Amino acid sequence: MIKDRLSVSNNQLFITVFAGITGVAGSYAVAGYTRQFIVAPIDALVVRLTPGLLVAFVIENIGEGGHVLHIALSMCLAVGLLGGAALFGIYVAEQLTQSTLGIVLAGGLAWSVTVAITGNPALAVGAAAPVLVFTALGVESGTVIEQSPTRRQVLASAAAFVGVTVGVGRFNGTSEDNTITNPVSRAVEDKFQQATIQTLDINGDIPGLVSEIGGFYNVDIAEFDPEVSADDWSMTITGEVSDDVTVDYNELTAMPTEHRYVTLRCVGEDLNGKKMDTAIWTGTPIKSLLEEADPDGTCDCAMLRAEDDYFVQFPTDALENAFLAWEMNGQPLPQSHGHPVRALVPGHWGETNVKWLSEIELLEEEMDGYWEQRGWHGTGPVNTVAKLWSTITLDSGNIELAGHAYAGTRGIKRVEVSVDGGSTWEDAELSEPIPGDDVWRQWRHEFNPNGDASHDVIVRAVDGKGDLQPEEQSDSYPSGATGWVQQTVTR
Ligand SMILES: Nc1nc2c(c(=O)[nH]1)N[C@H]1C(S)=C(S)[C@@H](COP(=O)(O)O)O[C@H]1N2
Ligand SMILES: [Mo]
């Protein structure tokens, strides 16, 4: 006998949750960790709608872990949406005693919602199919009581489904940037060699003078990087200019090409943090494009915008020696570093180096960029820093201290080390400067511990102008960390 109840049973509610979870897993299986994954656009929206003060608070207090919070929230929302489609289907099936109609409605609804969110009809099937299957299970469990699947059966089939789909997704191998291998041009090869030769002989495990692509730090406002193909890319210089100038990828890469060592450092990192790296970048100076556009704005300031809705504003002067890069260490710019084209602004904090660059707008008056709206002051020149990234005891019994020092376009003249809490200072050994206006240097200092178990080590840099790294300690928020790196080193 068909039950004529109007409500949905607990068992059915339980099944709709699995419909939601497996729908999300199915979407992941076909789309991978990309923008076609149903969670991605939801996450972008969550990030956009989160108040700036909260973002600043999370970055300061939770740091990178903040990503986990909004991704988890976005996952729950996606599960809710797809589960909701299943619930609606079951409800219709019960109300109208139309099993097939309910099941098809649920699948169709899940599909439409996923297409609306991701814009990809084909891949949306990955999310819709599990919803349809679980809705069918749910409808059956309501009508034919004796044969209804037990919770354990539902759980087992859901787990199996998630396992299989995620497995398939892995197997399909969503394109990962680091696997791209290109023949590296002679010029880049030479630069690699020079860096290798000039790298200090350091026993500790620290980056060389050129960071590996896979080890190069990453800071993104969005959890999912935009996917921009070189063919679809173009960049426009607009706003207060005599003429708008637009270049596409072919035009850009046909311009005079240079290979530069450039170091980047994030304003948000700790004093001795690791968000500082150097790569060999291939690109073209931006100057000729700017001159073609002929800026005539009154504030002499520019807003750079990107495909991930990132934007940053700073004085046009900073673009004078800026660079538009399309290769990193001889490879096409990896997706996570701004494929196909990013800006590199010499000596300025990482945030000015816009990835997935789409527009340079010359402004009439100054406006805050993404991070400045959130209280940061990170558009100016970098602070001077000497990092202490490695401390090890050598076979000889001596202690080796080593790290990198960076002061943007000011350059590094000297690194000084104290092993007695600042009473006496010695100059560290420094790597020969690699050519470039905006590069770090490696330093190394070896000392005899003289039987003492522990040493109060302090390191500080002197920039190319002769200015000592400021001693006063401050947090990275809002203007970048200051102070001297200090560490107790024991044998
Ligand atoms: N479009 C875009 N550009 C961006 C960012 C971003 O989130 N979106 N992050 C900025 C920040 S804060 C830093 S420190 C650098 C980091 O560059 P990387 O990820 O290549 O190391 O990129 C900058 N450019
Ligand atoms: Mo940054």
Side-chain angles (χ1 to χ4, degrees):
M1 263 249 273
I2 294 169
K3 296 178 73 186
D4 57 352
R5 60 183 168 154
L6 299 177
S7 63
V8 177
S9 76
N10 276 342
N11 206 24
Q12 288 170 325
L13 269 182
F14 188 70
I15 288 172
T16 61
V17 173
F18 279 101
I21 292 172
T22 51
V24 170
S27 173
Y28 177 76
V30 294
Y33 208 63
T34 66
R35 293 215 142 190
Q36 282 76 49
F37 177 30
I38 183 168
V39 174
I42 296 180
D43 187 61
L45 193 69
V46 167
V47 170
R48 196 166 316 151
L49 295 183
T50 309
L53 278 177
L54 186 60
V55 174
F57 175 85
V58 168
I59 287 170
E60 245 191 305
N61 295 282
I62 309 179
E64 291 294 285
H67 277 321
V68 178
L69 285 183
H70 61 78
I71 263 286
L73 175 61
S74 312
M75 289 259 186
C76 290
L77 289 173
V79 167
L81 278 173
L82 294 177
L87 190 62
F88 180 73
I90 292 173
Y91 183 75
V92 166
E94 303 277 306
Q95 288 284 300
L96 310 177
T97 59
Q98 291 273 358
S99 300
T100 314
L101 176 67
I103 294 166
V104 170
L105 258 179
L109 197 60
W111 181 81
S112 317
V113 166
T114 311
V115 174
I117 291 174
T118 64
N120 190 315
L123 295 182
V125 175
V131 172
L132 190 127
V133 170
F134 275 87
T135 306
L137 266 176
V139 168
E140 197 181 319
S141 84
T143 49
V144 195
I145 293 298
E146 312 85 64
Q147 287 173 13
S148 75
T150 64
R151 286 191 178 197
R152 189 179 298 174
Q153 282 168 327
V154 171
L155 224 147
S157 45
F161 182 84
V162 171
V164 168
T165 49
V166 170
V168 169
R170 284 273 160 74
F171 183 73
N172 281 345
T174 56
S175 64
E176 217 347 276
D177 1 290
N178 298 331
T179 56
I180 306 162
T181 40
N182 234 30
V184 170
S185 76
R186 189 59 214 264
V188 172
E189 200 55 71
D190 287 348
K191 282 204 139 43
F192 267 119
Q193 254 193 20
Q194 179 172 18
T196 308
I197 291 167
Q198 292 184 198
T199 295
L200 293 180
D201 205 0
I202 291 168
N203 293 273
D205 185 22
I206 65 171
L209 287 172
V210 172
S211 311
E212 280 170 31
I213 289 184
F216 201 105
Y217 84 90
N218 227 221
V219 178
D220 300 314
I221 57 163
E223 184 71 24
F224 298 88
D225 296 332
E227 285 168 35
V228 188
S229 73
D231 288 342
D232 293 337
W233 181 87
S234 71
M235 195 261 311
T236 302
I237 304 178
T238 183
E240 303 296 311
V241 292
S242 305
D243 286 305
D244 278 10
V245 171
T246 299
V247 274
D248 65 20
Y249 188 78
N250 287 334
E251 290 161 348
L252 188 78
T253 52
M255 290 172 63
T257 302
E258 291 177 19
H259 310 278
R260 296 186 184 177
Y261 298 103
V262 177
T263 302
L264 297 186
R265 181 186 177 202
C266 183
V267 68
E269 69 150 11
D270 295 338
L271 182 62
N272 201 30
K274 289 273 170 69
K275 291 193 175 124
M276 178 169 106
D277 277 295
T278 301
I280 300 164
W281 308 87
T282 301
T284 192
I286 200 168
K287 198 173 175 176
S288 62
L289 289 171
L290 267 183
E291 281 171 352
E292 199 184 325
D294 188 19
D296 52 15
T298 46
C299 73
D300 285 322
C301 58
M303 179 73 83
L304 275 60
R305 296 182 209 277
E307 297 289 347
D308 58 347
D309 292 336
Y310 181 77
F311 52 103
V312 60
Q313 186 261 160
F314 51 81
T316 318
D317 278 353
L319 292 174
E320 178 76 5
N321 296 313
F323 199 56
L324 295 174
W326 57 81
E327 274 185 23
M328 180 181 188
N329 289 357
Q331 304 300 322
L333 208 55
Q335 194 188 336
S336 62
H337 294 290
H339 187 272
V341 177
R342 81 177 299 168
L344 293 173
V345 182
H348 289 248
W349 290 109
E351 62 166 80
T352 60
N353 299 267
V354 177
K355 306 190 270 189
W356 314 287
L357 181 67
S358 57
E359 185 186 282
I360 298 177
E361 185 192 357
L362 281 303
L363 301 179
E364 196 142 23
E365 55 185 281
E366 290 190 36
M367 273 166 72
D368 278 342
Y370 180 91
W371 290 115
E372 279 45 53
Q373 282 182 351
R374 287 155 178 81
W376 290 88
H377 301 295
T379 60
V382 293
N383 296 344
T384 299
V385 71
K387 307 265 189 182
L388 174 55
W389 279 349
S390 165
T391 62
I392 61 168
T393 305
L394 305 174
D395 291 342
S396 65
N398 280 358
I399 293 176
E400 179 199 73
L401 309 170
H404 291 69
Y406 176 56
T409 52
R410 298 182 299 281
I412 290 290
K413 180 183 274 177
R414 212 161 59 234
V415 170
E416 300 174 346
V417 182
S418 172
V419 298
D420 54 12
S423 303
T424 60
W425 294 87
E426 269 188 85
D427 287 356
E429 187 187 342
L430 270 187
S431 60
E432 286 300 313
I434 43 176
D437 301 334
D438 183 22
V439 288
W440 63 11
R441 294 176 80 170
Q442 265 185 335
W443 65 269
R444 179 184 183 277
H445 182 70
E446 188 178 323
F447 70 100
N448 185 334
N450 282 326
D452 292 341
S454 99
H455 292 265
D456 187 4
V457 169
I458 312 176
V459 299
R460 62 188 191 191
V462 174
D463 73 15
K465 293 181 170 163
D467 290 332
L468 182 64
Q469 178 178 336
E471 180 177 8
E472 195 194 331
Q473 301 275 341
S474 67
D475 286 344
S476 59
Y477 188 82
S479 314
T482 64
W484 297 339
V485 173
Q486 183 158 9
Q487 212 164 289
T488 304
V489 175
T490 50
R491 280 187 293 144

